[in-house]
Amino acid sequence: MLHYALVFLVIAIIAAVLGFGGIAGAAAGIAKILFVIFLILAIIAFFRRAR
């Protein structure tokens, strides 16, 4: 999941450099959502493993 977040972040950066603001904003939003989901799942896995 972290991989997909990084892929969308790279797409957002490339789209922003090329001037595609709408696509860059959408890709950045998707990257943020995927990163938050990754963090939540990583924290849950950490606490489950600690028990």
Side-chain angles (χ1 to χ4, degrees), residues 36-48:
V36 169
I37 292 171
F38 165 77
L39 284 178
I40 292 169
L41 291 176
I43 291 169
I44 290 171
F46 174 74
F47 283 121
R48 291 191 74 194

Side-chain angles (χ1 to χ4, degrees), residues 9-49:
L9 180 64
V10 170
I11 290 172
I13 291 171
I14 292 171
V17 168
L18 296 176
F20 298 107
I23 296 171
I30 292 170
K32 286 179 189 177
I33 292 169
L34 288 175
F35 186 71
V36 169
I37 292 171
F38 165 77
L39 284 178
I40 292 169
L41 291 176
I43 291 169
I44 290 171
F46 174 74
F47 283 121
R48 291 191 74 194
R49 183 145 174 106

